Each structure stands twice: as structure tokens, then as C-alpha cells.
Amino acid sequence: MDTRIYLDHNATTPVDPRVLERMLPAFHRDFGNASSRSHAFGWRAQELVETAREEVAGAIGARPAEIVFTSGATEAINLAIRGVAEASTARGRHLVTSRAEHSAVLDCARHLEGRGWEVTWLDPSPTGRVPAESVAAALRDDTVLVALMWANNEVGAINPIAEVGALCRARGVTLFTDATQGVGKVPVDVAAAGVDLLSMTAHKLYGPKGAGALFVRSGEPRVRLVPQQLGGGQERGLRAGTLNVPGIVGLGAACRLAVEEMDTEGPRLARLRDRLEERITAELDGVHLNGDRAHRLPATLHLSFDGVEAEALMLAMPDVAVSSGAACSSGSAAPSHVLRAMGVPDTRAHGSIRFGLGRFTTEEEVDRAARLVVEGVRRLRGTSPATPASPDASSRVHS
Ligand code: PLP
């Protein structure tokens, strides 16, 4: 029996069997190249891609023609930020973003800095949100682009994107939002939010890895983008390369399911997340929530434990798969850049864990995980009511 409990859904999700079922024919029976116009194999692949385009668009209130398929969010982010920057140097060279963004956004912004752009780096509030007022204060006559994530991948804080969208629209500034953690988890409507560009990826919403999309608003004023990948002219010339048909089908299927189930799944996950927090805090003192209670992803819980190193806690509960800091940059012992930007002291940041619940998480798993966390923390703090830690556990902890 598998005793492991997966609570790292912000890093990646398993593929939903219903998504996999829709993908499978695209690997063999419907294997054609979606760019082949001369036979039925190509037409069928194209049909599958266009159905997926409708599903993806439907999930974010966009039109199908506004969806550009990519290999994931990182590629979509590069296309959005670097693509707008290259197309807009005549308008100005100023970008506004936040220090709490994903590394793909941070690195694109630094790349532009190295090429003569000025970047205004906004700090999030202590709860991880970037206030619209900070964006308003940062806008200048030469501001070309605002890049602000929909929801933070570490602490789950949701940004006031619609307010920022209104500000940007009034000033003629392009707004890009990385909605990788938002799409399928919380309602996302690009038209209502006044978003010009939006990135997403399938593997955070029970689809496959290696498939994502960039929404590019159509209509006036036109969003101008310089493609970052040249070749066969696919995706209206914005993203050359043979389309990953099975991945795209998976992204479409995943989007459809996530939206259909959001109204039941969101509250269920929020209840489980709160249960996890309550079970932990009922037993332990010195536990702090990182993030915004009122504006938070339903399945994300980020806690700091006084007097405990996150790495040691994870070793003390090997059955619970969680993350300390961002999975994408873990391997480095530096405290998370998001927590730092929120003003969380380094000592507290070192003792913090991200719990990411998901579609297949059960109440039993939450209760067991809470118990293992409580036991682990007590052992590490030396406050275990039972016998002291076993030699095995303590040697692992101190090594
Ligand atoms: N943006 C955010 C907020 C993320 O959480 C991730 C995932 O790691 C990414 C971007 C990168 O997505 P991908 O793995 O599809 O490149």
C-alpha cells in the first residue's frame, strides 16, 4: 500500500485519468501533424487542436483565436515579456513587476534590465499581495508593460488584477498576468479583468507537462508581440514549431474539467486546507500563516514553524510530500525570494512549509498529514510528549 501523501500540487499535479483518456488517441490513431493540410490525418489533428483552443479560451473568457499554444508557462512568459519589449521600444523602456513573481518573470525582467530597460520592482504587502496603489504609483509616461501574477505559487496570495487592469487600460499600458496558479482554481476572466496577455500551463491543473498557452488579446489597441521562436509559422507566426497535439488536447480537457468542477472543488479544497491548518494549530504553538486569508488560492497553505528547519521537518515526515520555498528553485538553501519580499524574517522563512492540496486529496490524508506534521515538529523542538526521538531520526535531523 502506498502510504505517501502528495501535498505539493503547486509544483505539479497528476494527470486526471479523464484527461489522459482524451489524450491517448492523439498519440496513435489521431497522430497527424496539425499543419498537414493535404490529408485527413492532418485535418483530424487540426480539429483536435481547435477543440482544445475553444476549451482553453472558454476557461478564461477569451476567444479561441486569442490562444497561442506553447510548451508551458515559462515559454508563454518569455513570449509575453520579451515579445512585448521587442515590439515596443519606440514607446518606452519601462517595465513594472513585483519581487514575488515566478523566476521565469524575474529572469525576463532582469534580461531586459541588462538591455537598457528600467524595471520598477514592487514589493508585495506582508500578506503577499501587490496593492493596485503600488502599481498606480509606479506607472510612468514611458511604461510599456506591467507584469503581475494572478496568484502566487508559494503563498497563494491573489493579486487585485482587475484593479490593475483598469489602471493599465486608462494609461494605455499593456498588462501581462502569469495566471499559471490561478486558471482552473479560481475564476479568471480576461475581459472582465482587462488583461492583455496571460500565461498558463497544463501541469498545474491535472493536465500533462510540456503544454501551455499564452492568451493574446485581439482587437484595438493591438497587442504587439515579436515572436521568440522562428520556423514554420504555426500559431499565426507567434510560436513556430510542430504542435504538441496530445499535450494540447490534454490542456483543453484539463481546462474544461477544472472549470466545470470549480464550484464544488474550490469549497471542498478550502475546507480541507482549513482543516489541515486547524489540526496543526490546535496542537502546536508558534505556527504562523504566510499569505492572505481573504485573497488566497483555495488549496494553498503556507506555514512557518518556530524553532524548526523546514528541511529537517520534511526529513522527519518522509511520507508527506510538501515543499519549502519554491519547488522550481529548491536545491538552493537561500530563503524563498517571495517570503523575503513579503518581509518574513529569514529565520522564520527557513522554518516554512508549503502545503498544496489537490483534486485527489482526501480528508483522511489531511488528518494523517496533520498528525505527522505535529509529531515531526514536536520531535524537532524536543517537546515530544512520548519518548525522545529515535536515534535514527535524530541523526538524520542533525546531519
Ligand atoms: N509561473 C508560475 C506561477 C508557476 O508556478 C510555474 C511553475 O513552476 C511557472 C510559471 C512555470 O510553468 P512551466 O513549468 O509550465 O514552465
Side-chain angles (χ1 to χ4, degrees), residues 10 34 41 43 69 135 153 173 176 260 263 289 300 314 361 372 383:
N10 297 36
F41 293 89
W43 304 333
F69 289 117
V135 178
N153 47 306
V173 173
F176 162 60
E260 278 171 5
D263 286 350
L289 176 80
T300 302
M314 290 191 294
T361 306
L372 292 169
T383 55

Side-chain angles (χ1 to χ4, degrees), residues 138-157:
L139 293 180
R140 313 189 318 207
D141 289 344
D142 61 343
T143 307
V144 167
L145 180 67
V146 170
L148 193 62
M149 69 204 319
W150 195 284
N152 186 270
N153 47 306
E154 292 194 34
V155 296

Side-chain angles (χ1 to χ4, degrees), residues 49-69 169 188-192 195-196 198 200 213-223 235-236:
V49 167
E50 295 317 316
T51 300
R53 208 184 292 283
E54 283 167 22
E55 292 172 320
V56 172
I60 58 169
R63 286 191 278 264
E66 297 177 312
I67 302 301
V68 175
F69 289 117
R169 200 146 276 191
V188 170
D189 186 323
V190 286
V195 165
D196 297 303
L198 173 149
M200 65 165 90
L214 179 67
F215 154 79
V216 184
R217 182 182 55 70
S218 59
E220 294 301 324
R222 258 191 68 209
V223 179
E235 299 298 89
R236 292 177 288 120

Side-chain angles (χ1 to χ4, degrees), residues 10-11 72-74 77 102 149 151 153 178 180-181 201 203-204 328:
N10 297 36
T74 299
I77 290 166
H102 185 269
M149 69 204 319
N153 47 306
D178 174 19
T180 300
Q181 296 284 347
T201 196
H203 76 97
K204 310 280 187 186
C328 313

